[in-house]
Amino acid sequence: MSAWLASITDAGEARQVLAAGAAIVDAKNPHAGALGALPHEVVRAIVAAIDGRVPVSATIGDYPDLPPADVARAVSEMAATGVDIVKIGLYPAPSLPECLAALAPIATRQRLVAVLFADREPDFHLLPHLARHGFAGVMLDTADKHGGSLPRHQTPARLAAFVAHARRLGLLSGLAGSLKLADIPILAPLAPDYLGFRGALCRQHARTQALDPDAMAALSEAMGREAAQAA
């Protein structure tokens, strides 16, 4: 049974999605790319607002070249805000092995989740390396938020294989990427640990707009229906 993650921009939005039933509150700046980072003081306010009721995750921003020292520093600084999970986008950079090695010591004290990009030819052979370096989980997202939702870039069979591979390795799995209500019946039966949403929760389904209470209620209801069917 999949839970749902809601990406939010401040403490006020964090309270809204918590009330709507989100199982993970994800601190992210949708104005700054796929994995835009929020200022640390904003993340601290989000952590305080949630007060341990559900896990809080946060992204560190986009580092396409994956400079190991810079990524490790960004992860450590975001971890210091008190979040439960720090998310790192992994790109096919030559420095990827060195970056994973630099993150391994941090993974012993902080839950790390790697983000692969479904529209950038993701290498699912990375999953065993993530497990070996101590990562807590892996998610599949999209880099281009104008290129359609996740199922446009990966077939259900390939997504199912991704989720199953992560489960065998003991990694949490998440599916995200411009997801809509219509994607839930396709993706929830694959049983990832969570589905991630931003645009579907917002006014006009635009990820840079404010949250829409009706959209949040509709999504919560849709996820509830899928959970009931899976029970």
Side-chain angles (χ1 to χ4, degrees):
M1 182 178 71
S2 301
W4 59 283
L5 170 153
S7 292
I8 51 85
T9 63
D10 56 34
E13 286 195 346
R15 295 186 188 95
Q16 290 182 66
V17 299
L18 180 66
I24 300 178
V25 172
D26 180 50
K28 182 187 294 184
N29 180 0
H31 296 276
L35 293 178
L38 290 171
H40 294 151
E41 61 270 21
V42 175
V43 179
R44 290 190 190 95
I46 291 167
V47 171
I50 295 302
D51 195 26
R53 286 170 286 186
V54 298
V56 177
S57 63
T59 62
I60 63 166
D62 290 307
Y63 288 82
D65 296 328
L66 293 178
D70 292 347
V71 171
R73 184 184 310 110
V75 169
S76 294
E77 290 174 352
M78 190 58 77
T81 64
V83 295
D84 302 283
I85 297 166
V86 179
K87 293 165 56 182
I88 306 107
L90 296 185
Y91 298 85
S95 59
L96 177 56
E98 291 78 12
C99 190
L100 293 180
L103 293 173
I106 302 173
T108 64
R109 58 184 184 274
Q110 172 70 48
R111 296 175 77 192
L112 304 182
V113 168
V115 181
L116 308 182
F117 295 103
D119 52 347
R120 295 291 186 269
E121 299 183 0
D123 181 4
F124 293 166
H125 292 100
L126 280 175
L127 269 63
H129 298 281
L130 297 176
R132 187 161 57 249
H133 284 85
F135 276 68
V138 59
M139 70 179 298
L140 200 57
D141 202 337
T142 55
D144 181 1
K145 298 305 180 183
H146 302 290
S149 66
L150 179 68
R152 179 175 177 178
H153 301 284
Q154 299 288 327
T155 66
R158 187 158 163 78
L159 294 173
F162 168 80
V163 170
H165 195 185
R167 185 180 299 115
R168 287 194 299 271
L169 293 167
L171 295 169
L172 292 173
S173 64
L175 300 177
S178 301
L179 299 186
K180 303 175 176 61
L181 287 183
D183 296 318
I184 294 175
I186 298 170
L187 300 179
L190 306 182
D193 291 292
Y194 60 92
L195 298 178
F197 301 91
R198 172 64 191 180
L201 305 172
C202 296
R203 295 174 186 168
Q204 303 174 338
H205 292 171
R207 66 193 300 266
T208 55
Q209 295 291 318
L211 296 178
D212 181 338
D214 291 337
M216 288 189 290
L219 190 141
S220 183
E221 181 180 353
M223 290 296 295
R225 285 196 302 270
E226 290 297 325
Q229 292 176 11

